[in-house]
Amino acid sequence: MRKTALTVIALICTLGTFAQWQPQGDKLKTPWAEKVDPNNTLPEYPRPQMVRADWKNLNGLWDYSIKPIGAQEPEKMDGKILVPFAVESSLSGVQKPLTEKDELWYRHSFSVPASWKGRNLLLHFGAVDWKADVFVNDIHVGTHTGGFTPFSFDITPFLNTKGEQKLVVRVFDGTDKGYQPRGKQILNPHGIWYTPVSGIWQTVWLEPVAPSHITNIKSIPNLDNKYIEVTVDAANTRNEDLVNVAISDGNKVVATATGRVGSQLRLSITDPKLWSPDSPFLYNMEVTLQQAGKAVDKVDSYTAMRKISAERDNAGIMRMTLNNKPVFHFGPLDQGWWPDGLYTAPTDEALLFDVIETKKMGYNMIRKHVKVEPARWYYHCDREGILVWQDMPSGDMGNTWEMYKYNGGTDKDRTQASKDNFSKEWKEIMDLCISSPSVVVWVPFNEAWGQFDTERIADWTKEYDPSRLVNPASGGNHRPCGDMMDLHNYPGPAMKLFDPQRVNVLGEYGGIGFAMEDHLWWNKRNWGYVQFKSAEEVTAEYEKYAKDLIKYVRLGFSGAVYTQTTDVEGEVNGLFTYDRKVLKVIPDRIKSANKEVIESMKLPD
């Protein structure tokens, strides 16, 4: 009888929670929207490259309020918001705009498990767009700017000795009214510009750690010399403290090294297993922080052995190589948007879906376009085996763009504050992805959107991470720097410039439109460079472009990016509809065409 009563109480509580939250609006929803549980929202561990056993997810229903800039913390909030979905999204349960004149307030309470007593407490945010001020128990504990990267605060000194802890977050996001990187967001969405994303949009979580604890792991492979270089950073350490790194193949340890915090440890692997899209092998890695011979912190991670480089082929053409073998990079432009969650996939299953389906269609690469994903997305790419070109989200736009001219167009005359912020956020994005074997190309600029100091930015990017290729300006303005020259041409492939000193790629082409009734974001004009009315017509056009592309591969292209993975808002040129419910092409024929393109670089002249 008591068990039945408890079950009824639990059901009432669950129904009460759902009564406080429902997806808003009548626009498209993905199949995963109905799986979103406000009591268990995005429950997966958010940081796969640095895993500890103890943590607490703070996702769920929080109080929220939108107030004018400068207002005090509201006593009465506007309602409930489902964290971590942006306030403009349907899945937030709010779907309200935030302007450059507003601030978004969040309020939540949490308890600290008794078993964590004596340890420091870290408060982690996966990403908050754009400026976040964080308060714990009415004390300001820190500020972070940058809408795409994780940050954390040690909130130990600010905790009450017992009972509930009060958490408040105040967010400002000017979107396109400021200089910050914002990608495709715009306050007035239209054409290729999409709905803004403001506030918390990735998991918020707590983690207990020792006072001295590991804060970061950087692992860079060196295939030619058969070692992986690992650098471990830690907080509150002494000069004599040591870190130990062990790399394993399954249960077999294949390499170990011990050294000081912050030093570069080289772990030699005599007969390495290589990572590639065909065989995405990952080594397990265990990292331990030691004080006076005693382990005070330990995290689980992973790494891989692979090399990305550029070499001349027998015809003297610069080609991209993977593990010292030529590989043609071919994949879709992936915007990473969701009709119900905007920047945030409804579930981890949904986040993985796009990666899996891309591989099923025979692609070996994804260009992540002017957006950065949660750490779990890069983990999925690492594990599934797909090459990633990582864009810097654009912002502070206003250049003249000349896509078919060397040294054409103009640089944006940015303020020093804008330049400094770009550099800060770009470094944070690189730091997020730098240990992921799937990430092989950095793309600082796209189509002259806010492009400035191109040579300096490209040189710095290469200096900061010499293990990857730098595509300095996808689509132009073209400057003689970096490792690649990247042309855009719509709808079909074309090679209107060629650089004999660098790798040449077709960074965007295609855009074959197919507006499917009942799967459209809006009833306005839907965008596609060419428009067709059936999967057969779209597939036939795709195959025609693939045959044209092969000609240019033999002339010198070493990679190509097809636009795009899914429809996005008014763009209907996706392989999938925006809601991911319909594949708009014939998959077997697409896969066959993709295989021919990828293998064409291997064929003799």
Side-chain angles (χ1 to χ4, degrees):
M1 182 70 179
R2 182 172 181 272
K3 183 177 180 181
T4 302
L6 290 174
T7 302
V8 171
I9 291 170
L11 179 60
I12 292 171
C13 291
T14 300
L15 292 173
T17 301
F18 274 97
Q20 297 179 67
W21 170 84
Q22 289 293 331
Q24 295 299 300
D26 57 0
K27 291 185 181 290
L28 295 177
K29 305 288 189 298
T30 66
W32 301 277
E34 61 188 29
K35 297 181 180 180
V36 173
D37 182 354
N39 295 303
N40 192 31
T41 311
L42 292 172
E44 293 79 14
Y45 190 84
R47 192 186 56 198
Q49 283 201 317
M50 210 171 90
V51 178
R52 293 187 179 95
D54 288 341
W55 71 293
K56 183 176 182 178
N57 196 327
L58 295 186
N59 292 344
L61 288 174
W62 295 24
D63 296 319
Y64 88 95
S65 187
I66 298 173
K67 297 296 180 185
I69 290 176
Q72 297 298 308
E73 177 191 339
E75 291 186 16
K76 178 178 174 56
M77 304 296 269
D78 295 348
K80 297 290 185 180
I81 186 171
L82 184 57
V83 169
F85 297 103
V87 68
E88 298 93 344
S89 73
S90 170
L91 291 178
S92 71
V94 179
Q95 203 175 49
K96 291 180 181 178
L98 191 77
T99 75
E100 76 281 9
K101 299 177 182 179
D102 300 320
E103 288 176 330
L104 172 61
W105 290 83
Y106 295 86
R107 189 157 60 215
H108 190 57
S109 63
F110 63 88
S111 59
V112 180
S115 59
W116 293 2
K117 186 177 181 181
R119 290 192 274 179
N120 286 27
L121 189 65
L122 302 182
L123 172 62
H124 295 280
F125 294 84
V128 181
D129 196 0
W130 173 72
K131 177 185 178 183
D133 289 296
V134 180
F135 304 82
V136 173
N137 295 321
D138 298 318
I139 301 172
H140 182 246
V141 301
T143 298
H144 180 265
T145 56
F148 297 93
T149 49
F151 60 96
S152 62
F153 300 109
D154 187 335
I155 61 172
T156 312
F158 312 107
L159 295 174
N160 296 325
T161 55
K162 60 181 179 179
E164 292 287 295
Q165 315 290 333
K166 178 185 175 184
L167 171 60
V168 171
V169 182
R170 180 181 63 203
V171 177
F172 166 78
D173 181 20
T175 310
D176 55 314
K177 300 301 182 183
Y179 58 60
Q180 73 264 29
R182 41 92 176 178
K184 289 288 197 81
Q185 302 176 56
I186 192 168
L187 287 173
N188 177 29
H190 61 276
I192 66 168
W193 308 103
Y194 315 143
T195 303
V197 172
S198 301
I200 298 168
W201 67 274
Q202 290 186 32
T203 291
V204 184
W205 53 295
L206 298 170
E207 182 180 38
V209 294
S212 299
H213 56 272
I214 296 161
T215 57
N216 187 59
I217 303 167
K218 176 182 176 182
S219 61
I220 302 292
N222 187 314
L223 175 59
D224 294 341
N225 294 300
K226 295 185 179 180
Y227 67 77
I228 296 176
E229 186 175 87
V230 180
T231 305
V232 181
D233 296 323
N236 305 319
T237 58
R238 302 165 297 195
N239 287 337
E240 62 269 26
D241 293 345
L242 298 174
V243 290
N244 177 264
V245 179
I247 294 176
S248 303
D249 177 353
N251 294 322
K252 181 183 177 182
V253 176
V254 296
T256 62
T258 300
R260 295 192 183 281
V261 174
S263 63
Q264 295 174 340
L265 306 179
R266 291 185 175 181
L267 290 88
S268 298
I269 302 178
T270 305
D271 187 21
K273 294 182 179 179
L274 305 186
W275 183 98
S276 72
D278 293 331
S279 180
F281 180 80
L282 299 175
Y283 287 100
N284 298 321
M285 185 162 65
E286 183 179 274
V287 180
T288 307
L289 176 63
Q290 300 174 339
Q291 291 183 331
K294 179 183 177 182
V296 295
D297 191 21
K298 184 187 79 169
V299 296
D300 293 322
S301 185
Y302 66 89
T303 188
M305 183 68 84
R306 68 100 183 88
K307 176 186 176 184
I308 181 72
S309 56
E311 306 289 342
R312 293 194 185 277
D313 66 11
N314 293 334
I317 297 172
M318 292 295 291
R319 299 290 192 183
M320 284 189 287
T321 61
L322 178 66
N323 301 330
N324 295 320
K325 296 179 180 178
V327 172
F328 188 83
H329 293 209
F330 191 31
L333 192 76
D334 190 327
Q335 316 252 22
W337 285 73
W338 302 84
D340 36 27
L342 300 179
Y343 264 7
T344 311
T347 66
D348 193 63
E349 180 187 3
L351 190 68
L352 177 59
F353 175 85
D354 286 359
V355 176
I356 293 288
E357 293 301 317
T358 297
K359 280 215 74 173
K360 278 184 182 179
M361 284 185 277
Y363 296 107
N364 63 4
M365 177 266 278
I366 290 171
R367 179 183 170 198
K368 181 51 63 177
H369 189 42
V370 294
K371 188 207 174 187
V372 180
E373 293 290 355
R376 290 194 63 83
W377 185 85
Y378 299 97
Y379 168 62
H380 292 322
C381 292
D382 294 341
R383 188 182 58 185
E384 299 299 328
I386 197 141
L387 306 169
V388 175
W389 295 9
Q390 179 60 55
D391 285 14
M392 171 65 176
S394 47
D396 204 358
M397 303 178 195
N399 308 50
T400 299
W401 176 34
E402 293 184 333
M403 60 194 299
Y404 299 131
K405 183 178 180 181
Y406 279 111
N407 290 315
T410 62
D411 275 11
K412 176 64 188 292
D413 183 18
R414 293 194 183 208
T415 65
Q416 192 59 47
S418 176
K419 292 181 179 182
D420 291 346
N421 183 74
F422 177 99
S423 298
K424 168 192 171 292
E425 293 200 40
W426 183 223
K427 179 182 178 297
E428 290 178 352
I429 290 165
M430 291 179 67
D431 287 341
L432 170 66
C433 304
I434 205 162
S435 296
S436 287
S438 58
V439 178
V440 294
V441 174
W442 300 118
V443 189
F445 297 112
N446 176 76
E447 292 186 350
W449 296 348
Q451 187 175 337
F452 73 100
D453 294 356
T454 313
E455 292 87 349
R456 180 178 66 82
I457 297 296
D459 291 348
W460 180 88
T461 302
K462 191 69 174 181
E463 180 182 354
Y464 192 66
D465 181 18
S467 72
R468 290 176 173 87
L469 299 179
V470 178
N471 180 354
S474 183
N477 297 322
H478 304 294
R479 307 286 186 250
C481 58
D483 299 299
M484 302 162 71
M485 189 178 74
D486 180 326
L487 300 176
H488 291 183
N489 197 79
Y490 286 101
M495 182 185 284
K496 298 185 180 181
L497 288 176
F498 182 80
D499 188 336
Q501 304 304 318
R502 295 183 292 168
V503 170
N504 292 266
V505 298
L506 183 61
E508 291 183 31
Y509 84 99
I512 303 172
F514 175 17
M516 292 198 70
E517 192 174 349
D518 300 325
H519 298 277
L520 299 176
W521 176 254
W522 56 26
N523 294 321
K524 308 177 198 175
R525 179 182 181 272
N526 290 290
W527 172 261
Y529 286 91
V530 288
Q531 294 272 12
F532 293 93
K533 295 183 178 180
S534 71
E536 169 61 38
E537 291 177 348
V538 173
T539 302
E541 191 74 358
Y542 185 97
E543 290 170 326
K544 183 178 78 173
Y545 293 167
K547 286 182 170 54
D548 291 340
L549 179 57
I550 288 172
K551 301 173 188 175
Y552 294 114
V553 173
R554 293 172 181 168
L555 288 171
F557 276 149
S558 292
V561 179
Y562 175 78
T563 301
Q564 61 186 333
T565 307
T566 73
D567 295 348
V568 185
E569 299 202 357
E571 295 185 31
V572 292
N573 46 24
L575 297 160
F576 276 89
T577 55
Y578 194 17
D579 56 15
R580 275 75 166 175
K581 291 180 179 178
V582 181
L583 179 62
K584 301 194 295 178
V585 295
I586 301 171
D588 291 345
R589 287 168 56 183
I590 296 295
K591 184 174 183 179
S592 177
N594 291 345
K595 182 179 179 182
E596 289 182 24
V597 169
I598 290 171
E599 292 184 350
S600 66
M601 202 170 79
K602 303 176 185 178
L603 298 176
D605 295 335

